[in-house]
C-alpha cells in the first residue's frame, strides 16, 4: 500500500517512513528540503533495506502534487510538511501561514481531484492554547495558541473538520503530539536543525559535542517545581509507531483526534540532569529570559490512543537521551 508522506525527509517524517517500511507499507516522499536533506532517503534505505521514492517539490505547487498522484496509486496521505519552530513563527508569521495553511489547502485540493480521501495530519498540543487544566485531553475545547505556529495547526484542524462536515466520505485523523525527541537507535537519522536549534534536545547535544558553548534555559521563574518549563517528551520512534497505528485505524469514513504523548511532565532541568548522567559530565548551561510564546507546563492524557488504536509510549527519557546523543556523536555536523 502506497502512502504519500509530505515532509518525509524531515525529522518525524523520516522516522515514520522507517516504521512504515517495517510494517509493509510503501512510503512516497514529497519534500522541498527547506529544513531537511535528500541524503535522508539513503539513510532510510540503510536502516530498512528500501529507499522510498522521492519527489523534490513544495506542497504549495499543485502541479507536482498532481504528478505524484497520477504516477502512483496513493491510498493515504500522512501530512507532515510545514514550518515548525514556535519562536521563529512569532517573527515570521506570514511565512508560517503561507507554508502551513496554504500548503495544506493545495494538498487537500490535489487529494480530492485524485479521489484520495484518507489523511493523517501532524497537529500539535499547541492547539489547546493556554488551558488551565492539565493533562490535556481530546475532549477539551481548543484554545487560543500563543504563537502563529500553533494557530496554523489549529486553522488546519478547523479546515479538515469543515471538510468532513461537507464531505462525509473522508477518513481524517488529527494527531496532536507533544515534544518529540530522540533518534533512531542506529544513529543514522535524527533531528538536524538548521542554524541555532529551537528545541531543547538538539541544543543540548550540540553543546555536548562542542558545537555550541552553552545551553540557554529560557526562564527560571515559572510556576513549576524547579521554575523551568515542564513538557511531555515523547521518543520519535514511539511517535512514528503512533502514525502507523493511526494509519491502520483510519479506514472508516470519520474524523478522529488523538493525543500522542507519554502522559508525564518533565522539566528542562530534569532533562539536563538525565543527559548529564548519560554523558558522564556536567553540561555548560545558563538561564536566559523567557521566550515569547512558551507556556509553563503541559502534558498529555493519551488514554484514547491506547484504548482505540492500541498505542502507548514504550521508550523512556533515558532512551531519548541515549539515542539523541548517539545520533549527534555519529553525525556531529548533522546530515552532510
Amino acid at each position: 500500500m502506497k502512502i504519500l508522506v509530505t515532509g518525509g525527509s524531515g525529522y518525524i517524517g523520516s522516522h515514520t517512513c522507517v516504521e512504515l517500511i517495517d510494517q509493509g507499507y510503501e512510503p512516497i516522499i514529497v519534500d522541498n528540503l527547506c529544513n531537511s536533506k535528500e541524503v535522508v532517503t539513503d539513510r532510510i534505505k540503510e536502516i530498512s533495506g528500501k529507499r522510498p521514492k522521492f519527489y523534490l517539490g513544495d506542497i504549495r505547487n499543485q502541479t507536482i502534487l498532481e504528478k505524484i498522484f497520477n504516477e502512483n496509486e496513493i491510498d493515504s496521505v500522512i501530512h507532515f510538511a510545514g514550518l515548525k519552530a514556535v519562536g521563529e513563527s512569532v517573527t515570521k508569521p506570514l511565512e508560517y501561514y503561507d507554508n502551513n495553511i496554504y500548503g495544506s489547502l493545495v494538498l487537500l485540493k490535489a487529494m480530492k481531484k485524485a479521489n484520495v480521501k484518507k489523511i493523517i495530519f501532524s497537529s500539535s498540543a499547541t492547539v489547546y492554547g493556554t488551558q488551565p487544566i492539565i493533562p490535556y485531553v481530546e475532549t477539551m475545547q481548543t484554545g487560543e495558541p500563543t504563537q502563529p505556529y500553533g494557530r496554523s495547526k489549529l486553522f488546519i484542524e478547523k479546515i479538515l473538520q469543515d471538510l468532513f462536515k461537507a464531505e462525509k466520505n473522508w477518513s481524517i485523523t488529527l494527531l496532536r503530539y507533544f515534544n518529540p525527541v530522540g533518534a533512531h537507535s542506529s544513529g543514522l537519522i535524527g533531528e538536524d536543525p538548521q542554524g541555532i536549534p529551537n528545541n531543547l534536545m538538539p541544543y543540548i547535544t550540540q553543546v555536548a559535542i562542542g558545537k555550541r558553548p552553552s545551553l540557554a534555559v529560557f526562564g527560571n521563574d515559572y510556576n513549576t517545581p524547579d521554575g523551568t518549563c515542564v513538557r511531555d517528551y515523547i521518543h520519535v520512534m514511539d511517535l512514528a509507531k503512533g502514525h502507523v497505528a493511526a494509519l491502520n485505524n483510519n479506514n472508516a469514513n470519520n474524523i478522529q483526534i488523538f493525543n500522542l504523548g507519554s502522559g508525564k511532565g518533565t522539566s528542562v532541568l530534569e532533562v539536563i540532569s538525565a543527559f548529564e548522567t548519560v554523558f558522564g559530565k556536567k553540561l555548560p548551561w545558563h538561564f536566559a529570559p523567557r521566550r515569547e510564546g512558551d507556556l509553563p507546563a503541559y502534558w498529555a492524557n493519551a488514554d484514547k490512543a491506547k484504548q482505540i488504536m492500541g498505542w502507548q509510549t514504550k521508550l523512556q527519557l533515558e532512551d531519548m537521551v541515549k539515542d539523541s546523543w548517539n545520533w549527534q556523536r555519529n553525525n556531529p555536523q548533522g546530515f552532510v
Side-chain angles (χ1 to χ4, degrees), residues 93-147:
L94 295 182
E95 291 183 28
Y96 273 71
Y97 292 136
D98 179 62
N99 193 302
N100 296 5
I101 299 174
Y102 177 64
S104 298
L105 288 171
V106 176
L107 173 65
L108 290 169
K109 290 176 183 177
M111 289 178 65
K112 184 174 179 178
K113 185 174 182 179
N115 198 34
V116 175
K117 297 190 175 182
K118 295 180 182 179
I119 184 170
I120 295 166
F121 173 55
S122 166
S123 190
S124 166
T126 56
V127 302
Y128 290 111
T130 55
Q131 298 279 2
I133 301 172
I134 300 172
Y136 293 168
V137 64
E138 296 91 343
T139 52
M140 285 180 171
Q141 292 292 317
T142 50
E144 173 57 34
T146 58
Q147 20 62 29

Side-chain angles (χ1 to χ4, degrees), residues 21-304:
I21 293 169
D22 186 62
Q23 296 299 318
Y25 290 100
E26 183 179 343
I28 296 169
I29 295 172
V30 58
D31 203 306
N32 67 3
L33 302 180
C34 74
N35 53 23
S36 61
K37 293 183 173 67
E38 191 174 349
V39 69
V40 170
T41 60
D42 296 328
R43 302 290 185 92
I44 293 172
K45 181 183 179 183
E46 195 170 345
I47 295 168
S48 67
K50 295 182 180 180
R51 177 184 283 106
K53 184 184 287 189
F54 176 83
Y55 288 87
L56 176 60
D58 193 301
I59 60 167
R60 291 169 292 183
N61 184 333
Q62 189 161 351
T63 301
I64 187 68
L65 291 179
E66 290 181 358
K67 174 182 171 67
I68 293 169
F69 284 113
N70 287 336
E71 292 180 355
N72 305 276
E73 293 184 8
I74 304 294
D75 178 79
S76 304
V77 174
I78 302 180
H79 179 28
F80 292 107
L83 300 176
K84 63 175 185 176
V86 170
E88 182 185 62
S89 75
V90 175
T91 60
K92 299 180 179 179
L94 295 182
E95 291 183 28
Y96 273 71
Y97 292 136
D98 179 62
N99 193 302
N100 296 5
I101 299 174
Y102 177 64
S104 298
L105 288 171
V106 176
L107 173 65
L108 290 169
K109 290 176 183 177
M111 289 178 65
K112 184 174 179 178
K113 185 174 182 179
N115 198 34
V116 175
K117 297 190 175 182
K118 295 180 182 179
I119 184 170
I120 295 166
F121 173 55
S122 166
S123 190
S124 166
T126 56
V127 302
Y128 290 111
T130 55
Q131 298 279 2
I133 301 172
I134 300 172
Y136 293 168
V137 64
E138 296 91 343
T139 52
M140 285 180 171
Q141 292 292 317
T142 50
E144 173 57 34
T146 58
Q147 20 62 29
Y149 163 77
R151 290 190 195 103
S152 74
K153 292 293 187 180
L154 179 58
F155 292 161
I156 297 165
E157 282 200 8
K158 297 295 187 185
I159 289 166
L160 287 164
Q161 290 165 348
D162 287 340
L163 174 61
F164 183 74
K165 287 178 184 177
E167 302 179 26
K168 300 293 187 182
N169 60 345
W170 283 75
S171 297
I172 299 170
T173 302
L174 311 178
L175 297 181
R176 295 173 178 166
Y177 42 82
F178 285 66
N179 289 69
V181 295
H184 192 269
S185 59
S186 66
L188 289 168
I189 57 174
E191 189 169 8
D192 183 22
Q194 307 300 304
I196 299 174
N198 286 284
N199 297 326
L200 176 61
M201 193 65 79
Y203 208 133
I204 288 177
T205 59
Q206 287 189 11
V207 170
I209 204 74
K211 192 172 181 179
R212 304 202 178 274
S214 178
L215 169 69
V217 176
F218 298 105
N220 64 347
D221 58 350
Y222 287 101
N223 185 23
T224 61
D226 62 21
T228 64
C229 290
V230 171
R231 296 290 182 265
D232 186 335
Y233 295 97
I234 173 175
H235 197 293
V236 68
M237 287 310 300
D238 277 336
L239 189 57
K241 292 178 188 298
H243 286 80
V244 177
L247 185 65
N248 294 335
N249 184 67
N250 195 33
N251 293 317
N253 294 334
N254 63 6
I255 184 166
Q256 299 187 86
I257 302 171
F258 296 100
N259 286 337
L260 296 186
S262 70
K264 177 184 177 183
T266 305
S267 76
V268 174
L269 293 186
E270 287 175 326
V271 175
I272 293 172
S273 176
F275 194 90
E276 288 177 336
T277 299
V278 170
F279 190 48
K281 68 176 185 180
K282 294 293 184 180
L283 283 173
W285 61 270
H286 62 279
F287 286 118
R290 291 186 180 194
R291 260 187 331 193
E292 187 176 356
D294 277 347
L295 299 178
Y298 59 84
W299 57 89
N301 177 319
D303 291 347
K304 183 179 177 183

